[in-house]
Amino acid sequence: MPFPKDFLWGAASASYQVEGAAAEDGKVPGIWDALYKGHVKRDENAAVSADHYHHYKEDVALMKQIGLKSYRFSVSWPRVMSAEGVVNPKGIEFYSNLVDELLCAGIEPLVTLYHWDLPMWAYEMGGWESERISDLFAEYTRIVVDALSDRVQYWMTVNEPQCFIGAGYLGGVHAPFLQVPEKMPTLLRNYMLAHGKSTLVIRQNAKKPPKVGMAPVGSGYTPADNSPEEIERAKKLTYEDMMGLSLWLDPIILGEVPDMLKGLLSEEDLQIIHQPLDFFGFNIYNSQNYEDQNADKGYQGYDGMPRTAMGWAVTPECLYWMPKFHYERYHLPILITENGMANLDWVSLDGAVHDPQRIDYLRRYLRELEKAIDEGVPVIGYQYWSIMDNFEWADGFDRRFGLIYVDYRTGKRTLKDSAHEYARIISVNGAGI
Ligand code: BGC
């Protein structure tokens, strides 16, 4: 079975990682702007980054050249709100113009409301540790929805809660660079309430019938063979893993409270949190074969396994198994909100950027996704991460995920070979990958 006719072929980005213009047109600092020093490789920061804020028209033209049907981007909260209750019209204008530009190019905008750039003013009010965050987030949601929902239909409330809480508050490697494991239950509850209130605000205020989801991270475990026992075991590990999905999503999608959260979520909380969603979005880069778990090597996979520049194992089968598992568990159409690889790309002597590994990665992963579609899993789209090279959080700029190469000194863009290949794949709707 081929990819569906109206498949949302796309690519993704996030405001802080690509926009730059960190203090322009009324944008106030977010936690990454204010707190990154001493936490990012070589103290790099995203004050300029890919400068998408100034290059957005050129970027949309390149997306059109690639033939994207959709583009997933996030709105920067500190760009559109200067303080509690204070809207920054210039910030709103930027996203409104971006949406117009996309629609003009025939590209469906998919909007993420929170991709980790919490305004400093909200952080100083207690941030994700404070119960107030869910109301602040709902207020911010209303402002964005009022401005964009006449044209935007697809909404994702938050990106990878596992990561902004896990890396930001447990590991201390992402902003706000804290290690407060004792706060974990509070953080989980606050994020769920924020998601629930935001979803309600979207449903109540959107001018176009909205499609609401989120973008959790969705790596998991794959079975070693196709026997029912192996499959069951892989499934169990996928959902029971601490950073896996049941703890973070079951209350939201199923209205079920895992043991670890018992006593934390009241009936009233659950009513807010458990809102119907329209799709199951998830970011996925790789998976573990469950046997790896017992290998006790401290890393994933076998010796000499193919790895990306992040050191992440290349495991295309995750795009077959995880959509199957998640559809079976959550019964929602699947949207791959991120998948892609980092490379150490550079511009060759011939002026092109040759990235054969990325082409191979793309094709291998998409083949597996197609297998899931063949077996009846409704997959509505695929967003490659990322549309362009960008600021890779604590890793700075070395690791390039983009389809478009960015020279950060000049802002010059070059379509990588993989962008041309993706264009070809999209033009034949994924036939014969
Ligand atoms: C995040 C992106 C990040 C990418 C690669 C995801 O965890 O949503 O912001 O750049 O993966 O690390």
Side-chain angles (χ1 to χ4, degrees):
M1 196 156 63
F3 285 87
K5 194 165 63 19
D6 46 2
F7 194 70
L8 291 170
W9 295 103
S13 75
S15 48
Y16 185 71
Q17 293 179 273
V18 298
E19 283 176 6
E24 251 177 85
D25 291 341
K27 178 180 173 292
V28 295
I31 51 175
W32 276 90
D33 299 297
L35 306 173
Y36 76 91
K37 277 214 173 95
H39 297 287
V40 177
K41 207 196 261 180
R42 290 189 290 268
D43 261 354
E44 291 170 350
N45 68 70
V48 177
S49 187
D51 201 20
H52 173 63
Y53 190 76
H54 295 112
H55 287 255
Y56 78 91
K57 287 193 177 175
E58 179 187 351
D59 292 337
V60 173
L62 291 170
M63 292 175 207
K64 187 175 177 187
Q65 195 183 330
I66 300 171
L68 296 194
K69 309 285 185 220
S70 59
Y71 171 52
R72 173 179 175 235
F73 65 93
S74 77
V75 172
S76 160
W77 189 352
R79 193 180 293 289
V80 301
M81 288 190 76
S82 337
E84 185 184 2
V86 184
V87 179
N88 174 24
K90 279 280 187 192
I92 294 284
E93 192 184 310
F94 169 69
Y95 295 106
S96 188
N97 290 342
L98 173 61
V99 166
D100 282 345
E101 198 73 17
L102 288 166
L103 292 173
C104 225
I107 300 170
E108 182 78 40
L110 317 180
V111 173
T112 309
L113 288 160
Y114 186 73
H115 202 128
W116 310 350
D117 42 0
L118 184 69
M120 264 317 264
W121 58 260
Y123 179 63
E124 281 157 4
M125 290 166 81
W128 289 102
E129 294 174 51
S130 154
E131 187 156 351
R132 287 192 67 189
I133 193 71
S134 57
D135 292 321
L136 295 176
F137 189 60
E139 187 202 15
Y140 155 67
T141 302
R142 183 192 300 269
I143 287 161
V144 180
V145 166
D146 281 352
L148 304 181
S149 66
D150 55 335
R151 290 154 290 159
V152 168
Q153 223 179 341
Y154 288 86
W155 300 92
M156 281 143 286
T157 56
V158 298
N159 181 71
E160 297 191 1
Q162 295 97 327
C163 209
F164 76 80
I165 292 176
Y169 292 84
L170 295 182
V173 291
H174 278 191
F177 309 103
L178 300 176
Q179 287 180 296
V180 285
E182 69 283 4
K183 298 276 173 64
M184 181 81 175
T186 307
L187 291 160
L188 262 161
R189 174 169 179 264
N190 289 343
Y191 123 71
M192 288 182 189
L193 288 171
H195 161 84
K197 290 183 187 177
S198 174
T199 304
L200 277 165
V201 167
I202 299 170
R203 296 237 185 265
Q204 284 159 6
N205 295 276
K207 296 166 197 153
K208 252 188 158 185
K211 294 183 191 298
V212 188
M214 33 186 299
V217 64
S219 56
Y221 293 84
T222 54
D225 61 48
N226 282 341
S227 67
E229 302 76 41
E230 300 285 305
I231 293 173
E232 270 320 298
R233 188 166 165 195
K235 230 183 263 175
K236 199 163 165 334
L237 284 166
T238 294
Y239 296 104
E240 284 177 2
D241 187 300
M242 250 287 279
M243 290 297 157
L245 289 166
S246 56
L247 181 63
W248 300 81
L249 288 183
D250 283 7
I252 289 177
I253 304 184
L254 304 177
E256 287 169 14
V257 183
D259 286 347
M260 218 183 119
L261 297 180
K262 290 249 156 73
L264 181 77
L265 300 177
S266 66
E267 256 319 302
E268 203 193 340
D269 289 346
L270 210 55
Q271 271 177 23
I272 296 170
I273 289 169
H274 179 40
Q275 296 300 322
L277 295 180
D278 300 293
F279 60 89
F280 185 83
F282 67 105
N283 299 348
I284 178 154
Y285 292 84
N286 56 21
S287 57
Q288 280 179 265
N289 182 293
Y290 78 77
E291 284 174 338
D292 296 344
Q293 264 229 107
N294 304 319
D296 199 23
K297 288 178 182 164
Y299 62 85
Q300 182 188 353
Y302 55 88
D303 293 347
M305 176 164 200
R307 289 177 196 283
T308 71
M310 297 295 280
W312 297 350
V314 177
T315 59
E317 65 276 11
C318 66
L319 270 196
Y320 167 70
W321 286 107
M322 294 309 127
K324 267 172 81 93
F325 286 0
H326 299 336
Y327 181 58
E328 188 185 305
R329 187 179 183 89
Y330 297 119
H331 309 291
L332 286 170
I334 301 285
L335 174 63
I336 307 298
T337 40
E338 282 180 31
N339 170 251
M341 65 165 280
N343 223 8
L344 303 175
D345 305 308
W346 66 75
V347 181
S348 290
L349 286 172
D350 63 3
V353 180
H354 302 296
D355 55 345
Q357 292 92 338
R358 187 172 284 108
I359 290 175
D360 190 66
Y361 180 103
L362 199 54
R363 293 185 56 216
R364 282 179 193 270
Y365 275 68
L366 285 173
R367 279 182 184 195
E368 296 290 328
L369 186 62
E370 190 180 23
K371 257 170 66 186
I373 295 172
D374 278 350
E375 291 181 20
V377 178
V379 183
I380 61 172
Y382 170 88
Q383 304 295 309
Y384 177 82
W385 180 271
S386 170
I387 183 63
M388 69 190 92
D389 293 336
N390 60 60
F391 179 76
E392 179 51 29
W393 307 112
D395 286 309
F397 289 106
D398 290 351
R399 293 157 179 191
R400 293 174 177 271
F401 274 92
L403 294 168
I404 300 170
Y405 181 92
V406 177
D407 183 332
Y408 297 111
R409 299 165 304 176
T410 59
K412 184 172 190 278
R413 274 88 167 122
T414 306
L415 290 186
K416 299 180 190 177
D417 287 356
S418 57
H420 295 293
E421 173 63 8
Y422 195 36
R424 188 194 67 75
I425 291 172
I426 296 172
S427 73
V428 293
N429 200 33
I433 324 170

